[in-house]
Every structure is written in C-alpha cells, then in structure tokens.
Amino acid sequence: MISVAIDGPAGAGKSTIAKAAASELGYIYIDTGALYRAVALACIRCEVSTGDEKAVEEMLPKTEIRLVFFNGVQHILLNDDDVSEQIRSEEVSMAASAVSAIPVVRAYLLELQRSFAQNADVIMDGRDIGTVILPNAQVKIFLTASPEKRARRRVKQLEEQGMEADFDKVLYDIVQRDYNDSHRKTAPLKAAEGAVTIDTSELTLEEAIDKVIETIKEKTV
C-alpha cells in the first residue's frame, strides 16, 4: 500500500489539491482536519470550552466520529449526524486549532487516522501527517502559500458560498492559526524530514494539482 502525507498551514489548499490528486491517481483521500473540526464542533454543541482540557477529555468518551464514503465522497459523522458542511465555518476552524493542541485529543484520533492507511493507497492531509501520523509514508509533501494569498483564496471561497468575508479579519485569523499550529507543544506544524515543499502562492489550482501528482509519481515509480 502507498501512503502520501500532505501537510501545511491553514488555507494552503491541501484538501482541494489532495482530493483532486487522489481522484486522478485512484487513491482514497482522507481529510484528517475534518476529524479535529468534528471534535471542535462537538465542543461548541456541548458548550465545552476548548481551553478547558479536562472538560474536553471528559467529553470525548461521549463523542463518536466516523468517516464514511457516499459515492466516493468523504462525509464526517458526529454521533451519527452528517456534519460535513457545519464543520467548515470560521468558528469551527478556530476552535479546531485549539483542540488540535490538546494531547488527549490527538491521542484519541491517532489510531483512527493510522487505520485508514493500512488497507488502501491513501492521500492524507493535515498538520502532522508526515511527522506523526504516517512517519513512514512513501511520499511526504509540505504544501504552503503566503498568508496574504491564502487569505484572498479563503475570502473568495466564502463569498462563492454566499457568506460575507472581511479580508483583514480572515488574514488575521490565518496568521494567528499559523502561530498556534507551529508553536503548540504537541505535534507542531512543520515540514517532515524528507518532505518536498511546494509553494502554491504563484500557481493556479490546476498547476498545483499537477505538481503534487508529478511529485507522487516520481516518488513511487
């Protein structure tokens, strides 16, 4: 089985690019960030502060998170409720950054994530896939872009969804999340040893997808 680990900061296009590459190559795409977002949404629904590690830990045994595939499309279930759309809000995004820094949450999701790569060729994206989740992945990619470029892409995405978006606020949130993700004690965001860094700042989406596919093919021939 071939495992591809794609890491990088928020808004770098990891999910979109990884999903397209998986489709092209016939791999299964696993959006691990959705798992942390689901935990974050559970905290919000249960009115549990993401800053209260003990409260979050006590909530986890009552939280069931599953990834399922409908017609080849990944859906995230939180206690049997399909929350694939709800977990994409800005509120959940910031909360996910907070819960991902909690060691017990990472331990709770670790084996679940690793199990996906045992029975199929997968492309998995997140913050610590190459460093922690799949350290033996045959292909490791660190996908990045400038904060400004990522903010513009996020604003465009939100506007296309009919949501209002303030560029300065989105940029601030991205910079803050970059800092939080790279400075947390547990599994901080960083390029894995041996990872190929791809900066998509000046690439179109199609060019970025092609670059990732090219890199995977080069590493797996």
Side-chain angles (χ1 to χ4, degrees):
M1 299 301 172
I2 296 174
S3 297
V4 179
I6 300 181
D7 293 309
K14 298 186 302 296
S15 296
T16 300
I17 294 170
K19 188 182 301 182
S23 177
E24 174 71 21
L25 296 169
Y27 289 19
I28 291 178
Y29 164 65
I30 306 295
D31 175 11
T32 61
L35 301 174
Y36 289 95
R37 287 173 177 269
V39 173
L41 180 59
C43 289
I44 293 171
R45 288 183 170 181
C46 295
E47 299 184 344
V48 171
S49 170
T50 56
D52 188 339
E53 292 191 21
K54 182 174 177 57
V56 173
E57 182 175 2
E58 292 175 348
M59 180 197 73
L60 289 177
K62 298 173 286 187
T63 304
E64 181 186 32
I65 298 172
R66 292 189 292 136
L67 286 182
V68 297
F69 293 86
F70 300 141
N71 297 322
V73 178
Q74 176 184 289
H75 289 254
I76 185 83
L77 302 185
L78 173 60
N79 296 329
D80 290 327
D81 180 20
D82 189 337
V83 295
S84 304
E85 297 298 324
Q86 295 94 314
I87 62 173
R88 298 303 169 183
S89 72
E90 287 300 300
E91 179 185 17
V92 172
S93 180
M94 292 305 294
S97 180
V99 299
S100 67
I102 301 176
V104 68
V105 172
R106 305 199 74 84
Y108 172 74
L109 296 176
L110 177 61
E111 290 308 317
L112 177 60
Q113 295 174 83
R114 284 181 174 169
S115 68
F116 296 134
Q118 294 177 353
N119 301 308
D121 296 331
V122 300
I123 295 181
M124 196 176 295
D125 76 280
R127 301 289 189 280
D128 64 345
I129 308 305
T131 55
V132 177
I133 308 303
L134 300 176
N136 296 319
Q138 291 91 330
V139 186
K140 298 178 183 179
I141 295 172
F142 191 79
L143 201 64
T144 189
S146 69
E148 292 77 14
K149 180 65 72 171
R150 287 183 279 140
R152 292 192 190 95
R153 291 171 179 169
R154 181 59 176 160
V155 167
K156 180 180 179 182
Q157 181 184 46
L158 291 171
E159 290 177 343
E160 289 175 346
Q161 296 172 352
M163 303 169 65
E164 293 186 3
D166 178 81
F167 174 80
D168 291 335
K169 174 64 165 57
V170 172
L171 177 59
Y172 174 84
D173 287 346
I174 282 177
V175 172
Q176 185 63 48
R177 187 164 186 185
D178 283 353
Y179 181 86
N180 292 343
D181 288 346
S182 60
H183 285 78
R184 66 190 181 207
K185 292 182 179 179
T186 303
L189 170 67
K190 63 180 181 179
E193 183 178 352
V196 175
T197 296
I198 299 176
D199 190 323
T200 68
S201 297
E202 303 305 322
L203 299 179
T204 65
L205 176 58
E206 291 73 19
E207 289 172 338
I209 293 170
D210 287 344
K211 184 66 175 177
V212 167
I213 291 174
E214 177 186 333
T215 300
I216 293 172
K217 288 181 175 179
E218 289 177 351
K219 295 288 185 177
T220 56
V221 291

